[in-house]
Amino acid sequence: MSHLTKVAVLAAVATGAAAPLAAQTAALLDSTFREWNSTTGPGCTVGVDFNGQRTTRAYGMANLEYGIALRPNSIVESGSVAKQFATAAAALLHIRGRLNLDDDIRKYLPELKDFGTPITIRQLFSHTSGLRDQWALLGLQGIGPGQAVHTLPWILDLASHQEDLNFTPGSHHLYSNMGYVLAAIIMERVLGEPFARFSEREFFVPLGMTRTQWRDDYRRIVTDRATAYAREGNAWVQDMPFTMVHGNGGLLSTVDDMLRWNEALTKGTIPGGAELVRLLETPPTLTDGTTIRYALGLSVDDFRGTRMVSHGGATAGYRTYLARWPDRQLSIAVLCNAAQANPTAYTTQIASRLLNVPAGREAPSAPVAISRAELEPLVGVYRDSTNDQIVRVTMSGDQLTAAPGGLLVHLGDRRFWNANAGELRFIASGSTWKLERPQDGWGHFSRDEAPPTVRSSDYVGRYRSPELEVTYEVVSDSAGGLTLKVRRAGNLPLRPAYTDGFAAGGGRTIRFTRDRRGTVTGFRVFAGRALGVQFAIIQ
């Protein structure tokens, strides 16, 4: 057989192998996104690159008013998937000596308060800076997303008014979009040009990402942009991000361009090369010695025994996920224009089938029997005093249930696990129990039950936050219940959660403070990504 004949035979074999793989992948995608394959609702675009074979599909509508269907090259806003693009820009500037990721951010942003411990650019990207999240703070002001057109200078002004941090820089990990907006401003000051222009010149053009751009002006006309929707009752309504803020999110792209980006990271062909990839994928270590899973704009984790690099996104009605398994030559991009879509779950389903691994997370070890008598003393409400996160542990039959979480599997020595809550560990503390949860740094929860009675008159009054420049009012109704009145946000019932602590809905907790005489002097608001925002009583 001649050399040319051998080449022809090998090519035919390769083509024959590729065709079934592509067909199988397409069938898997059709099955996974069956519920979105409709002409009456929004949907998803998806791209899979597996062993060098690329498959892209689209399901549902890009625009319901004009009857335009989604196509694989439809442009969708990325949400927080964009964060890795912001970190890549900063990493490239770091490699070129234009800035240092370990610089104190006040070198570039003197408007910010000196908190005593420097905050580095690297900490902005790893969510370990302690800065409060912009959307949480704006929500507390009653002017969150959709209620105002926010800008980069607006977020900088918000940051400059922060009186305290969530925690000492480097000691904890708590997601904060503000860090990425500040990083974008830093880069613009270093570059002397818009951050978006630098990204286009240094990344998008060289990598052939011709349909990718930053949404630095939401008013700009973008051809083939899919409209975002959310479900309200039985109808779809538009749910678009009307904001100028970008860096934390705001990237417009397609699944094909996202796969190009993943390929460049996997092969090290991205501008900045292997050094840039190393910077993005190296997770930091907290001051207590814990190495977290979140690196710089990317989560680096184990997926059923295989290394996975990924990030999800959500902004207005857009839902997205971008993941890759470098050692298995697999890359998946899912971009949806429906708020009810779950790209993370779809990606997990697709990857599990292609990699032939279990679809669900498995317990780290075999279950260990434990009696009901041993479980009952563990029931109660546990609170993390640093962030007011509450875990409620109850009995369900002869098993423990954690809320949030679900049924818990006992692994031995009062260690429990489920796929949602992760690991929970109960530790004896005198006559009671404490709870620990290892998740990007240990969370420590103490049992703290709600008081049987609440004296509402202690809390009634008007409270003001100098940091947020807003005033809240606490009022009592005829039945003795308490309500928090927030301008623009309406009335929020306060439900007793623990002594001097109340749940205010939306994951928020109000913790009242007292002086030595026991008189209420103010309260602190814990709003997920904004912890301990102070309000002082003014009446």
Side-chain angles (χ1 to χ4, degrees), residues 92 95 203 264-265 267-280:
L92 188 59
I95 292 169
F203 292 111
L265 288 174
K267 294 182 177 180
T269 55
I270 190 171
E275 175 63 10
L276 185 142
V277 177
R278 184 191 67 80
L279 288 170
L280 264 60

Side-chain angles (χ1 to χ4, degrees), residues 77 79 145 228-230 238-242 314-319 337-340:
E77 186 157 333
Y229 297 92
Q238 291 188 36
D239 188 9
M240 293 292 287
F242 298 113
T315 184
Y318 295 110
R319 298 292 182 270
N337 66 331
Q340 280 66 30

Side-chain angles (χ1 to χ4, degrees), residues 465-534:
S465 167
E467 177 177 338
L468 298 180
E469 299 179 328
V470 294
T471 299
Y472 289 0
E473 185 176 7
V474 177
V475 298
S476 177
D477 58 32
S478 57
L482 291 172
T483 299
L484 186 69
K485 300 178 69 174
V486 182
R487 186 183 176 189
R488 303 187 189 95
N491 298 333
L492 305 175
L494 297 181
R495 182 169 58 89
Y498 55 88
T499 301
D500 283 336
F502 298 80
R508 298 173 181 174
T509 304
I510 305 295
R511 184 195 299 173
F512 287 89
T513 56
R514 298 177 183 265
D515 60 20
R516 294 180 178 179
R517 295 173 297 177
T519 302
V520 170
T521 58
F523 61 70
R524 290 177 175 265
V525 178
F526 294 78
R529 296 172 179 174
L531 307 180
V533 181
Q534 294 189 60

Side-chain angles (χ1 to χ4, degrees), residues 124-248:
L124 297 181
F125 288 132
S126 61
H127 302 294
T128 59
S129 69
L131 287 164
R132 291 166 175 155
D133 183 80
Q134 65 207 33
W135 304 129
L137 293 177
L138 290 166
L140 292 174
Q141 290 179 324
I143 47 175
Q147 296 174 295
V149 177
H150 303 105
T151 62
L152 296 185
W154 188 329
I155 304 305
L156 177 59
D157 180 72
L158 187 67
S160 70
H161 282 83
Q162 287 200 33
E163 294 291 331
D164 299 294
L165 297 173
N166 282 336
F167 48 79
T168 302
S171 65
H172 291 81
H173 168 84
L174 182 61
Y175 203 91
S176 176
N177 286 285
M178 179 173 282
Y180 279 76
V181 177
L182 296 182
I185 296 171
I186 288 173
M187 285 188 278
E188 293 200 347
R189 291 184 175 183
V190 169
L191 290 164
E193 67 174 334
F195 157 63
R197 187 179 304 159
F198 176 80
S199 298
E200 179 182 13
R201 182 177 65 249
E202 300 294 337
F203 292 111
F204 305 154
V205 171
L207 295 177
M209 299 172 64
T210 59
R211 296 176 68 80
T212 299
Q213 62 179 286
W214 286 100
R215 189 262 304 122
D216 51 341
D217 187 341
Y218 76 89
R219 302 168 301 173
R220 183 185 303 124
I221 301 301
V222 178
T223 305
D224 291 332
R225 172 164 44 184
T227 302
Y229 297 92
R231 192 78 174 176
E232 288 190 2
N234 296 320
W236 290 104
V237 297
Q238 291 188 36
D239 188 9
M240 293 292 287
F242 298 113
T243 175
M244 306 296 192
V245 176
H246 59 288
N248 61 305

Side-chain angles (χ1 to χ4, degrees), residues 306-348:
T306 300
R307 182 172 179 267
M308 179 178 74
V309 184
S310 65
H311 209 295
T315 184
Y318 295 110
R319 298 292 182 270
T320 62
Y321 201 75
L322 181 64
R324 56 192 174 91
W325 293 258
D327 299 333
R328 299 294 298 274
Q329 299 183 60
L330 174 63
S331 178
I332 301 174
V334 180
L335 306 178
C336 303
N337 66 331
Q340 280 66 30
N342 189 343
T344 305
Y346 308 146
T347 302
T348 299

